[in-house]
Amino acid sequence: MSTSTPVGSADRPLRVAVIGSGPAGVYAADILTKSEAVKSGELTVSIDLFDRYPAPYGLIRYGVAPDHPRIKGIVNALHKVLDRGDIRFFGNVDYGTDLSIEDLRKHYDAIIFATGAIKDADLNIPGIELEGSFGGADFVSWFDGHPDVSREWPLEATEIAVLGNGNVALDVARVLSKHADDLLVTEIPDNVYAGLKASPVTDVHVFGRRGPAQVKFTPLELRELSHSKDVDIILYAEDFEFDEASDEAIQSNNQVKTMVGTLTNWIAEQPEDLSELKASRRLHLHFLHSPVEIVDSPETPGKVAGIKFERTELDGTGNARGTGEFIDYPVQAVYRAIGYFGSALPDVEFDHKKGVVTNDGGRVLDADGQHVPGLYATGWIKRGPVGLIGHTKGDALETVTYLLEDRENLPFAEVPSADAVVELLDSRGVQFTSWEGWLALDAHELALGAAATEAGTSHGVEVKRERIKVVPREEMVSISRDGVAAQV
């Protein structure tokens, strides 16, 4: 489409919509604003960041345990980008409901999907549907105060199995085993504190299919386990198997070497007689276990009563194979934390096997494998739910590089005015939130924490509550919009 004013000029900036305000979306927007073309003055850009939640940060707010040691640093980094004022934030706007692909095409020259992955990957074993069998991602959403999940969670089990050897599995296990009072220093909502406080749990078992050298969590996550008060960590000598690939990984990878060293030190320091361990809760780390079936019992039909595993062994390449030996564990709840899986987006081609938007290096493809001009993807919805924050930055750089290469051939927006999308949302009655609204909500949550700290101090309870997360979507929106209105 021709335009009388050059797109990318001062009078007509390149208009870009980013769908998703987690790290993937924020990094893509940031990299675009800092690109050489923009820094040199060759190109000007106008970027709007949309999120279906009223608050920014995506899975950093709703997918990471509140006591995660790196969460504050990541939030601070994202805050600095959005606080500059050159990227607009629109919260509480759901792509496919409040804005369609046609709406975005009309108002933006390019669209970057950065919607991440929020669903649990499936585990197809018998009994997975039993009451007491949960997805780890669902549990994370609950304890992170996700606005669209129930306020209640059935914490009734004394013995729990967590399946997986990644960071999410450790987050789930740590929160399940940790005493609720030790989480008061985080931002957990009051309903989450009450639920965890009433939990009767005594034993949490974490199971991995391969050996200690093949775990997918990080040294920081592993060390964090040992910081839980009144929780003993228990390991088992028969689970410590290393093959040629394990030895090579230990020698060549400092992260693997550190984690294996930590685990072997823990088991070396562990008393032979486990009855000497006196903590009220125990966190068991198991390796070389492949889940076979979740079972109920005649006493509790339809409810989880145990889980069966096949013992595995390493095959020399770091992969595991079955041994034919089976072992049962009595548990009353099972949490699968074997990975996330992406969700399809309206009017965008989707690979249902991989759980990603169909793309080539970030260029979104149609059903025939051709690039759809103006559509891009980044983050987990582009590459799948693997990799850490560093991978997300590199991922965004690749996508933005392609967008900039394509900028002369984009399907230019018919209505590129920055005010036009605001008018459209207003006309549809969408109660969208803004960056200024987030600052108001942020201040409100911090004030709740300060008030709780003061109240506790007055009752002789010395616990500093930095903030308390607001959960109901309507309340989040109201606080955000009222806070902005009060400033006008």
PDB file of all heavy atoms in Angstrom, residues 260-296:
ATOM      1  N   VAL A 260      26.050 -31.366  40.188  1.00  0.00           N
ATOM      2  CA  VAL A 260      26.410 -32.720  40.617  1.00  0.00           C
ATOM      3  C   VAL A 260      27.225 -32.647  41.907  1.00  0.00           C
ATOM      4  O   VAL A 260      27.026 -33.454  42.833  1.00  0.00           O
ATOM      5  CB  VAL A 260      27.187 -33.447  39.509  1.00  0.00           C
ATOM      6  CG1 VAL A 260      27.783 -34.752  40.044  1.00  0.00           C
ATOM      7  CG2 VAL A 260      26.276 -33.740  38.323  1.00  0.00           C
ATOM      8  N   GLY A 261      28.113 -31.657  42.002  1.00  0.00           N
ATOM      9  CA  GLY A 261      28.892 -31.481  43.223  1.00  0.00           C
ATOM     10  C   GLY A 261      28.013 -31.187  44.424  1.00  0.00           C
ATOM     11  O   GLY A 261      28.220 -31.739  45.516  1.00  0.00           O
ATOM     12  N   THR A 262      27.022 -30.324  44.224  1.00  0.00           N
ATOM     13  CA  THR A 262      26.096 -29.999  45.317  1.00  0.00           C
ATOM     14  C   THR A 262      25.328 -31.226  45.767  1.00  0.00           C
ATOM     15  O   THR A 262      25.216 -31.512  46.976  1.00  0.00           O
ATOM     16  CB  THR A 262      25.113 -28.904  44.864  1.00  0.00           C
ATOM     17  OG1 THR A 262      25.839 -27.717  44.528  1.00  0.00           O
ATOM     18  CG2 THR A 262      24.103 -28.584  45.963  1.00  0.00           C
ATOM     19  N   LEU A 263      24.808 -31.985  44.812  1.00  0.00           N
ATOM     20  CA  LEU A 263      24.012 -33.175  45.144  1.00  0.00           C
ATOM     21  C   LEU A 263      24.862 -34.237  45.842  1.00  0.00           C
ATOM     22  O   LEU A 263      24.421 -34.849  46.829  1.00  0.00           O
ATOM     23  CB  LEU A 263      23.379 -33.750  43.876  1.00  0.00           C
ATOM     24  CG  LEU A 263      22.269 -32.904  43.243  1.00  0.00           C
ATOM     25  CD1 LEU A 263      21.947 -33.396  41.839  1.00  0.00           C
ATOM     26  CD2 LEU A 263      21.011 -32.924  44.108  1.00  0.00           C
ATOM     27  N   THR A 264      26.071 -34.470  45.348  1.00  0.00           N
ATOM     28  CA  THR A 264      26.918 -35.490  45.971  1.00  0.00           C
ATOM     29  C   THR A 264      27.382 -35.050  47.358  1.00  0.00           C
ATOM     30  O   THR A 264      27.524 -35.893  48.268  1.00  0.00           O
ATOM     31  CB  THR A 264      28.131 -35.813  45.078  1.00  0.00           C
ATOM     32  OG1 THR A 264      28.810 -34.604  44.733  1.00  0.00           O
ATOM     33  CG2 THR A 264      27.696 -36.521  43.806  1.00  0.00           C
ATOM     34  N   ASN A 265      27.586 -33.771  47.548  1.00  0.00           N
ATOM     35  CA  ASN A 265      27.935 -33.282  48.891  1.00  0.00           C
ATOM     36  C   ASN A 265      26.775 -33.492  49.850  1.00  0.00           C
ATOM     37  O   ASN A 265      26.972 -33.892  51.015  1.00  0.00           O
ATOM     38  CB  ASN A 265      28.295 -31.797  48.843  1.00  0.00           C
ATOM     39  CG  ASN A 265      29.676 -31.551  48.260  1.00  0.00           C
ATOM     40  OD1 ASN A 265      30.511 -32.449  48.233  1.00  0.00           O
ATOM     41  ND2 ASN A 265      29.910 -30.337  47.792  1.00  0.00           N
ATOM     42  N   TRP A 266      25.563 -33.230  49.363  1.00  0.00           N
ATOM     43  CA  TRP A 266      24.393 -33.399  50.229  1.00  0.00           C
ATOM     44  C   TRP A 266      24.244 -34.848  50.670  1.00  0.00           C
ATOM     45  O   TRP A 266      23.992 -35.124  51.842  1.00  0.00           O
ATOM     46  CB  TRP A 266      23.132 -32.949  49.502  1.00  0.00           C
ATOM     47  CG  TRP A 266      22.967 -31.453  49.428  1.00  0.00           C
ATOM     48  CD1 TRP A 266      23.751 -30.512  50.011  1.00  0.00           C
ATOM     49  CD2 TRP A 266      21.946 -30.745  48.713  1.00  0.00           C
ATOM     50  NE1 TRP A 266      23.291 -29.254  49.717  1.00  0.00           N
ATOM     51  CE2 TRP A 266      22.178 -29.364  48.924  1.00  0.00           C
ATOM     52  CE3 TRP A 266      20.876 -31.120  47.924  1.00  0.00           C
ATOM     53  CZ2 TRP A 266      21.361 -28.374  48.372  1.00  0.00           C
ATOM     54  CZ3 TRP A 266      20.059 -30.148  47.366  1.00  0.00           C
ATOM     55  CH2 TRP A 266      20.313 -28.782  47.589  1.00  0.00           C
ATOM     56  N   ILE A 267      24.401 -35.770  49.718  1.00  0.00           N
ATOM     57  CA  ILE A 267      24.194 -37.178  50.095  1.00  0.00           C
ATOM     58  C   ILE A 267      25.348 -37.666  50.973  1.00  0.00           C
ATOM     59  O   ILE A 267      25.151 -38.518  51.853  1.00  0.00           O
ATOM     60  CB  ILE A 267      24.009 -38.079  48.853  1.00  0.00           C
ATOM     61  CG1 ILE A 267      23.409 -39.420  49.288  1.00  0.00           C
ATOM     62  CG2 ILE A 267      25.302 -38.271  48.082  1.00  0.00           C
ATOM     63  CD1 ILE A 267      22.913 -40.269  48.138  1.00  0.00           C
ATOM     64  N   ALA A 268      26.538 -37.115  50.789  1.00  0.00           N
ATOM     65  CA  ALA A 268      27.678 -37.506  51.636  1.00  0.00           C
ATOM     66  C   ALA A 268      27.476 -37.032  53.069  1.00  0.00           C
ATOM     67  O   ALA A 268      27.894 -37.703  54.022  1.00  0.00           O
ATOM     68  CB  ALA A 268      28.971 -36.928  51.065  1.00  0.00           C
ATOM     69  N   GLU A 269      26.830 -35.867  53.225  1.00  0.00           N
ATOM     70  CA  GLU A 269      26.596 -35.298  54.553  1.00  0.00           C
ATOM     71  C   GLU A 269      25.351 -35.874  55.228  1.00  0.00           C
ATOM     72  O   GLU A 269      25.120 -35.645  56.416  1.00  0.00           O
ATOM     73  CB  GLU A 269      26.458 -33.780  54.442  1.00  0.00           C
ATOM     74  CG  GLU A 269      27.740 -33.090  53.964  1.00  0.00           C
ATOM     75  CD  GLU A 269      27.504 -31.657  53.559  1.00  0.00           C
ATOM     76  OE1 GLU A 269      26.325 -31.212  53.620  1.00  0.00           O
ATOM     77  OE2 GLU A 269      28.467 -30.986  53.162  1.00  0.00           O
ATOM     78  N   GLN A 270      24.559 -36.627  54.478  1.00  0.00           N
ATOM     79  CA  GLN A 270      23.297 -37.158  54.984  1.00  0.00           C
ATOM     80  C   GLN A 270      23.570 -38.313  55.944  1.00  0.00           C
ATOM     81  O   GLN A 270      24.399 -39.191  55.657  1.00  0.00           O
ATOM     82  CB  GLN A 270      22.470 -37.640  53.792  1.00  0.00           C
ATOM     83  CG  GLN A 270      21.085 -38.160  54.103  1.00  0.00           C
ATOM     84  CD  GLN A 270      20.351 -38.470  52.809  1.00  0.00           C
ATOM     85  OE1 GLN A 270      19.961 -37.572  52.079  1.00  0.00           O
ATOM     86  NE2 GLN A 270      20.173 -39.746  52.508  1.00  0.00           N
ATOM     87  N   PRO A 271      22.913 -38.364  57.105  1.00  0.00           N
ATOM     88  CA  PRO A 271      23.147 -39.473  58.038  1.00  0.00           C
ATOM     89  C   PRO A 271      22.652 -40.798  57.458  1.00  0.00           C
ATOM     90  O   PRO A 271      21.668 -40.837  56.720  1.00  0.00           O
ATOM     91  CB  PRO A 271      22.329 -39.077  59.271  1.00  0.00           C
ATOM     92  CG  PRO A 271      21.276 -38.148  58.759  1.00  0.00           C
ATOM     93  CD  PRO A 271      21.913 -37.396  57.626  1.00  0.00           C
ATOM     94  N   GLU A 272      23.369 -41.871  57.755  1.00  0.00           N
ATOM     95  CA  GLU A 272      22.943 -43.181  57.275  1.00  0.00           C
ATOM     96  C   GLU A 272      21.586 -43.558  57.837  1.00  0.00           C
ATOM     97  O   GLU A 272      20.759 -44.154  57.150  1.00  0.00           O
ATOM     98  CB  GLU A 272      23.983 -44.238  57.650  1.00  0.00           C
ATOM     99  CG  GLU A 272      25.287 -44.107  56.888  1.00  0.00           C
ATOM    100  CD  GLU A 272      26.213 -45.266  57.163  1.00  0.00           C
ATOM    101  OE1 GLU A 272      25.731 -46.316  57.659  1.00  0.00           O
ATOM    102  OE2 GLU A 272      27.412 -45.133  56.883  1.00  0.00           O
ATOM    103  N   ASP A 273      21.355 -43.199  59.060  1.00  0.00           N
ATOM    104  CA  ASP A 273      20.068 -43.469  59.701  1.00  0.00           C
ATOM    105  C   ASP A 273      19.186 -42.228  59.521  1.00  0.00           C
ATOM    106  O   ASP A 273      19.375 -41.208  60.189  1.00  0.00           O
ATOM    107  CB  ASP A 273      20.273 -43.767  61.189  1.00  0.00           C
ATOM    108  CG  ASP A 273      18.964 -44.128  61.886  1.00  0.00           C
ATOM    109  OD1 ASP A 273      17.906 -44.114  61.221  1.00  0.00           O
ATOM    110  OD2 ASP A 273      19.017 -44.402  63.099  1.00  0.00           O
ATOM    111  N   LEU A 274      18.230 -42.322  58.596  1.00  0.00           N
ATOM    112  CA  LEU A 274      17.407 -41.160  58.281  1.00  0.00           C
ATOM    113  C   LEU A 274      16.510 -40.738  59.441  1.00  0.00           C
ATOM    114  O   LEU A 274      15.976 -39.628  59.440  1.00  0.00           O
ATOM    115  CB  LEU A 274      16.538 -41.453  57.037  1.00  0.00           C
ATOM    116  CG  LEU A 274      17.313 -41.674  55.724  1.00  0.00           C
ATOM    117  CD1 LEU A 274      16.343 -41.912  54.573  1.00  0.00           C
ATOM    118  CD2 LEU A 274      18.217 -40.486  55.428  1.00  0.00           C
ATOM    119  N   SER A 275      16.362 -41.592  60.422  1.00  0.00           N
ATOM    120  CA  SER A 275      15.557 -41.213  61.585  1.00  0.00           C
ATOM    121  C   SER A 275      16.232 -40.111  62.395  1.00  0.00           C
ATOM    122  O   SER A 275      15.604 -39.483  63.250  1.00  0.00           O
ATOM    123  CB  SER A 275      15.292 -42.433  62.472  1.00  0.00           C
ATOM    124  OG  SER A 275      16.498 -42.904  63.052  1.00  0.00           O
ATOM    125  N   GLU A 276      17.510 -39.872  62.126  1.00  0.00           N
ATOM    126  CA  GLU A 276      18.212 -38.792  62.811  1.00  0.00           C
ATOM    127  C   GLU A 276      17.780 -37.412  62.291  1.00  0.00           C
ATOM    128  O   GLU A 276      18.058 -36.401  62.924  1.00  0.00           O
ATOM    129  CB  GLU A 276      19.729 -38.963  62.636  1.00  0.00           C
ATOM    130  CG  GLU A 276      20.295 -40.205  63.310  1.00  0.00           C
ATOM    131  CD  GLU A 276      21.784 -40.338  63.081  1.00  0.00           C
ATOM    132  OE1 GLU A 276      22.424 -39.310  62.743  1.00  0.00           O
ATOM    133  OE2 GLU A 276      22.317 -41.456  63.233  1.00  0.00           O
ATOM    134  N   LEU A 277      17.153 -37.399  61.110  1.00  0.00           N
ATOM    135  CA  LEU A 277      16.656 -36.134  60.557  1.00  0.00           C
ATOM    136  C   LEU A 277      15.400 -35.736  61.309  1.00  0.00           C
ATOM    137  O   LEU A 277      14.456 -36.532  61.424  1.00  0.00           O
ATOM    138  CB  LEU A 277      16.369 -36.287  59.061  1.00  0.00           C
ATOM    139  CG  LEU A 277      17.588 -36.667  58.195  1.00  0.00           C
ATOM    140  CD1 LEU A 277      17.152 -36.952  56.765  1.00  0.00           C
ATOM    141  CD2 LEU A 277      18.630 -35.554  58.231  1.00  0.00           C
ATOM    142  N   LYS A 278      15.346 -34.530  61.812  1.00  0.00           N
ATOM    143  CA  LYS A 278      14.283 -34.156  62.741  1.00  0.00           C
ATOM    144  C   LYS A 278      13.322 -33.095  62.204  1.00  0.00           C
ATOM    145  O   LYS A 278      12.411 -32.670  62.921  1.00  0.00           O
ATOM    146  CB  LYS A 278      14.906 -33.641  64.048  1.00  0.00           C
ATOM    147  CG  LYS A 278      15.783 -34.657  64.771  1.00  0.00           C
ATOM    148  CD  LYS A 278      15.008 -35.936  65.113  1.00  0.00           C
ATOM    149  CE  LYS A 278      15.879 -36.930  65.860  1.00  0.00           C
ATOM    150  NZ  LYS A 278      15.158 -38.201  66.153  1.00  0.00           N
ATOM    151  N   ALA A 279      13.504 -32.640  60.964  1.00  0.00           N
ATOM    152  CA  ALA A 279      12.599 -31.610  60.433  1.00  0.00           C
ATOM    153  C   ALA A 279      11.185 -32.167  60.317  1.00  0.00           C
ATOM    154  O   ALA A 279      10.975 -33.375  60.154  1.00  0.00           O
ATOM    155  CB  ALA A 279      13.083 -31.124  59.074  1.00  0.00           C
ATOM    156  N   SER A 280      10.204 -31.271  60.378  1.00  0.00           N
ATOM    157  CA  SER A 280       8.801 -31.708  60.311  1.00  0.00           C
ATOM    158  C   SER A 280       8.376 -32.031  58.880  1.00  0.00           C
ATOM    159  O   SER A 280       7.348 -32.667  58.669  1.00  0.00           O
ATOM    160  CB  SER A 280       7.889 -30.625  60.884  1.00  0.00           C
ATOM    161  OG  SER A 280       7.924 -29.451  60.080  1.00  0.00           O
ATOM    162  N   ARG A 281       9.173 -31.603  57.904  1.00  0.00           N
ATOM    163  CA  ARG A 281       8.862 -31.893  56.495  1.00  0.00           C
ATOM    164  C   ARG A 281      10.125 -32.380  55.799  1.00  0.00           C
ATOM    165  O   ARG A 281      11.240 -32.001  56.159  1.00  0.00           O
ATOM    166  CB  ARG A 281       8.302 -30.648  55.783  1.00  0.00           C
ATOM    167  CG  ARG A 281       6.935 -30.240  56.323  1.00  0.00           C
ATOM    168  CD  ARG A 281       6.401 -29.000  55.619  1.00  0.00           C
ATOM    169  NE  ARG A 281       5.062 -28.672  56.100  1.00  0.00           N
ATOM    170  CZ  ARG A 281       4.352 -27.636  55.667  1.00  0.00           C
ATOM    171  NH1 ARG A 281       4.854 -26.806  54.749  1.00  0.00           N
ATOM    172  NH2 ARG A 281       3.139 -27.415  56.139  1.00  0.00           N
ATOM    173  N   ARG A 282       9.914 -33.204  54.767  1.00  0.00           N
ATOM    174  CA  ARG A 282      11.037 -33.773  54.034  1.00  0.00           C
ATOM    175  C   ARG A 282      10.835 -33.570  52.528  1.00  0.00           C
ATOM    176  O   ARG A 282       9.728 -33.761  52.016  1.00  0.00           O
ATOM    177  CB  ARG A 282      11.164 -35.269  54.351  1.00  0.00           C
ATOM    178  CG  ARG A 282      11.630 -35.550  55.767  1.00  0.00           C
ATOM    179  CD  ARG A 282      11.307 -36.956  56.210  1.00  0.00           C
ATOM    180  NE  ARG A 282       9.873 -37.178  56.342  1.00  0.00           N
ATOM    181  CZ  ARG A 282       9.134 -36.799  57.391  1.00  0.00           C
ATOM    182  NH1 ARG A 282       9.723 -36.152  58.399  1.00  0.00           N
ATOM    183  NH2 ARG A 282       7.844 -37.041  57.444  1.00  0.00           N
ATOM    184  N   LEU A 283      11.913 -33.223  51.859  1.00  0.00           N
ATOM    185  CA  LEU A 283      11.895 -33.058  50.409  1.00  0.00           C
ATOM    186  C   LEU A 283      12.850 -34.103  49.831  1.00  0.00           C
ATOM    187  O   LEU A 283      14.066 -34.041  50.026  1.00  0.00           O
ATOM    188  CB  LEU A 283      12.343 -31.642  50.026  1.00  0.00           C
ATOM    189  CG  LEU A 283      12.407 -31.305  48.541  1.00  0.00           C
ATOM    190  CD1 LEU A 283      11.052 -31.535  47.871  1.00  0.00           C
ATOM    191  CD2 LEU A 283      12.831 -29.851  48.342  1.00  0.00           C
ATOM    192  N   HIS A 284      12.274 -35.080  49.131  1.00  0.00           N
ATOM    193  CA  HIS A 284      13.043 -36.199  48.589  1.00  0.00           C
ATOM    194  C   HIS A 284      13.358 -35.938  47.118  1.00  0.00           C
ATOM    195  O   HIS A 284      12.460 -35.610  46.335  1.00  0.00           O
ATOM    196  CB  HIS A 284      12.243 -37.501  48.684  1.00  0.00           C
ATOM    197  CG  HIS A 284      11.692 -37.805  50.044  1.00  0.00           C
ATOM    198  ND1 HIS A 284      12.227 -38.786  50.862  1.00  0.00           N
ATOM    199  CD2 HIS A 284      10.642 -37.272  50.742  1.00  0.00           C
ATOM    200  CE1 HIS A 284      11.529 -38.847  51.991  1.00  0.00           C
ATOM    201  NE2 HIS A 284      10.564 -37.934  51.941  1.00  0.00           N
ATOM    202  N   LEU A 285      14.624 -36.117  46.734  1.00  0.00           N
ATOM    203  CA  LEU A 285      15.018 -35.985  45.329  1.00  0.00           C
ATOM    204  C   LEU A 285      15.358 -37.371  44.786  1.00  0.00           C
ATOM    205  O   LEU A 285      16.285 -38.032  45.278  1.00  0.00           O
ATOM    206  CB  LEU A 285      16.221 -35.058  45.196  1.00  0.00           C
ATOM    207  CG  LEU A 285      16.031 -33.613  45.664  1.00  0.00           C
ATOM    208  CD1 LEU A 285      17.313 -32.808  45.454  1.00  0.00           C
ATOM    209  CD2 LEU A 285      14.863 -32.950  44.935  1.00  0.00           C
ATOM    210  N   HIS A 286      14.585 -37.815  43.791  1.00  0.00           N
ATOM    211  CA  HIS A 286      14.769 -39.127  43.188  1.00  0.00           C
ATOM    212  C   HIS A 286      15.191 -38.971  41.734  1.00  0.00           C
ATOM    213  O   HIS A 286      14.665 -38.118  41.012  1.00  0.00           O
ATOM    214  CB  HIS A 286      13.470 -39.934  43.213  1.00  0.00           C
ATOM    215  CG  HIS A 286      12.862 -40.126  44.566  1.00  0.00           C
ATOM    216  ND1 HIS A 286      13.143 -41.208  45.366  1.00  0.00           N
ATOM    217  CD2 HIS A 286      11.952 -39.374  45.254  1.00  0.00           C
ATOM    218  CE1 HIS A 286      12.431 -41.117  46.488  1.00  0.00           C
ATOM    219  NE2 HIS A 286      11.714 -40.014  46.447  1.00  0.00           N
ATOM    220  N   PHE A 287      16.097 -39.837  41.281  1.00  0.00           N
ATOM    221  CA  PHE A 287      16.483 -39.872  39.879  1.00  0.00           C
ATOM    222  C   PHE A 287      16.246 -41.280  39.341  1.00  0.00           C
ATOM    223  O   PHE A 287      15.978 -42.214  40.095  1.00  0.00           O
ATOM    224  CB  PHE A 287      17.949 -39.472  39.717  1.00  0.00           C
ATOM    225  CG  PHE A 287      18.270 -38.142  40.349  1.00  0.00           C
ATOM    226  CD1 PHE A 287      18.949 -38.076  41.567  1.00  0.00           C
ATOM    227  CD2 PHE A 287      17.867 -36.959  39.751  1.00  0.00           C
ATOM    228  CE1 PHE A 287      19.233 -36.853  42.158  1.00  0.00           C
ATOM    229  CE2 PHE A 287      18.142 -35.734  40.333  1.00  0.00           C
ATOM    230  CZ  PHE A 287      18.817 -35.677  41.539  1.00  0.00           C
ATOM    231  N   LEU A 288      16.319 -41.418  38.021  1.00  0.00           N
ATOM    232  CA  LEU A 288      16.177 -42.722  37.364  1.00  0.00           C
ATOM    233  C   LEU A 288      14.824 -43.368  37.654  1.00  0.00           C
ATOM    234  O   LEU A 288      14.724 -44.568  37.929  1.00  0.00           O
ATOM    235  CB  LEU A 288      17.328 -43.653  37.785  1.00  0.00           C
ATOM    236  CG  LEU A 288      18.738 -43.114  37.498  1.00  0.00           C
ATOM    237  CD1 LEU A 288      19.788 -44.039  38.104  1.00  0.00           C
ATOM    238  CD2 LEU A 288      18.962 -42.938  36.012  1.00  0.00           C
ATOM    239  N   HIS A 289      13.768 -42.553  37.589  1.00  0.00           N
ATOM    240  CA  HIS A 289      12.394 -43.004  37.779  1.00  0.00           C
ATOM    241  C   HIS A 289      11.531 -42.510  36.619  1.00  0.00           C
ATOM    242  O   HIS A 289      11.481 -41.308  36.363  1.00  0.00           O
ATOM    243  CB  HIS A 289      11.804 -42.449  39.077  1.00  0.00           C
ATOM    244  CG  HIS A 289      12.249 -43.130  40.335  1.00  0.00           C
ATOM    245  ND1 HIS A 289      13.536 -43.042  40.811  1.00  0.00           N
ATOM    246  CD2 HIS A 289      11.558 -43.913  41.218  1.00  0.00           C
ATOM    247  CE1 HIS A 289      13.623 -43.730  41.949  1.00  0.00           C
ATOM    248  NE2 HIS A 289      12.446 -44.272  42.211  1.00  0.00           N
ATOM    249  N   SER A 290      10.875 -43.426  35.937  1.00  0.00           N
ATOM    250  CA  SER A 290       9.970 -43.049  34.843  1.00  0.00           C
ATOM    251  C   SER A 290       8.537 -43.387  35.247  1.00  0.00           C
ATOM    252  O   SER A 290       8.230 -44.554  35.539  1.00  0.00           O
ATOM    253  CB  SER A 290      10.336 -43.812  33.569  1.00  0.00           C
ATOM    254  OG  SER A 290       9.484 -43.447  32.504  1.00  0.00           O
ATOM    255  N   PRO A 291       7.623 -42.404  35.280  1.00  0.00           N
ATOM    256  CA  PRO A 291       6.257 -42.678  35.741  1.00  0.00           C
ATOM    257  C   PRO A 291       5.512 -43.604  34.788  1.00  0.00           C
ATOM    258  O   PRO A 291       5.584 -43.447  33.564  1.00  0.00           O
ATOM    259  CB  PRO A 291       5.622 -41.286  35.788  1.00  0.00           C
ATOM    260  CG  PRO A 291       6.404 -40.470  34.814  1.00  0.00           C
ATOM    261  CD  PRO A 291       7.808 -40.993  34.886  1.00  0.00           C
ATOM    262  N   VAL A 292       4.817 -44.566  35.365  1.00  0.00           N
ATOM    263  CA  VAL A 292       4.086 -45.564  34.584  1.00  0.00           C
ATOM    264  C   VAL A 292       2.588 -45.423  34.763  1.00  0.00           C
ATOM    265  O   VAL A 292       1.820 -45.487  33.802  1.00  0.00           O
ATOM    266  CB  VAL A 292       4.527 -46.985  34.993  1.00  0.00           C
ATOM    267  CG1 VAL A 292       3.669 -48.034  34.306  1.00  0.00           C
ATOM    268  CG2 VAL A 292       5.998 -47.193  34.682  1.00  0.00           C
ATOM    269  N   GLU A 293       2.154 -45.200  36.003  1.00  0.00           N
ATOM    270  CA  GLU A 293       0.712 -45.161  36.281  1.00  0.00           C
ATOM    271  C   GLU A 293       0.450 -44.476  37.613  1.00  0.00           C
ATOM    272  O   GLU A 293       1.197 -44.652  38.573  1.00  0.00           O
ATOM    273  CB  GLU A 293       0.154 -46.590  36.333  1.00  0.00           C
ATOM    274  CG  GLU A 293      -1.337 -46.668  36.585  1.00  0.00           C
ATOM    275  CD  GLU A 293      -1.856 -48.096  36.662  1.00  0.00           C
ATOM    276  OE1 GLU A 293      -1.011 -49.032  36.687  1.00  0.00           O
ATOM    277  OE2 GLU A 293      -3.077 -48.280  36.706  1.00  0.00           O
ATOM    278  N   ILE A 294      -0.605 -43.674  37.640  1.00  0.00           N
ATOM    279  CA  ILE A 294      -1.114 -43.103  38.886  1.00  0.00           C
ATOM    280  C   ILE A 294      -2.310 -43.951  39.290  1.00  0.00           C
ATOM    281  O   ILE A 294      -3.179 -44.248  38.463  1.00  0.00           O
ATOM    282  CB  ILE A 294      -1.532 -41.632  38.689  1.00  0.00           C
ATOM    283  CG1 ILE A 294      -0.347 -40.808  38.178  1.00  0.00           C
ATOM    284  CG2 ILE A 294      -2.054 -41.037  39.999  1.00  0.00           C
ATOM    285  CD1 ILE A 294      -0.712 -39.390  37.777  1.00  0.00           C
ATOM    286  N   VAL A 295      -2.361 -44.354  40.536  1.00  0.00           N
ATOM    287  CA  VAL A 295      -3.372 -45.328  40.952  1.00  0.00           C
ATOM    288  C   VAL A 295      -4.237 -44.780  42.085  1.00  0.00           C
ATOM    289  O   VAL A 295      -3.822 -43.907  42.854  1.00  0.00           O
ATOM    290  CB  VAL A 295      -2.717 -46.649  41.411  1.00  0.00           C
ATOM    291  CG1 VAL A 295      -1.942 -47.283  40.262  1.00  0.00           C
ATOM    292  CG2 VAL A 295      -1.782 -46.423  42.590  1.00  0.00           C
ATOM    293  N   ASP A 296      -5.457 -45.310  42.150  1.00  0.00           N
ATOM    294  CA  ASP A 296      -6.328 -45.043  43.297  1.00  0.00           C
ATOM    295  C   ASP A 296      -6.358 -46.301  44.166  1.00  0.00           C
ATOM    296  O   ASP A 296      -5.526 -47.200  44.001  1.00  0.00           O
ATOM    297  CB  ASP A 296      -7.723 -44.607  42.849  1.00  0.00           C
ATOM    298  CG  ASP A 296      -8.421 -45.645  41.965  1.00  0.00           C
ATOM    299  OD1 ASP A 296      -7.851 -46.746  41.756  1.00  0.00           O
ATOM    300  OD2 ASP A 296      -9.532 -45.360  41.479  1.00  0.00           O
TER     301      ASP A 296
END
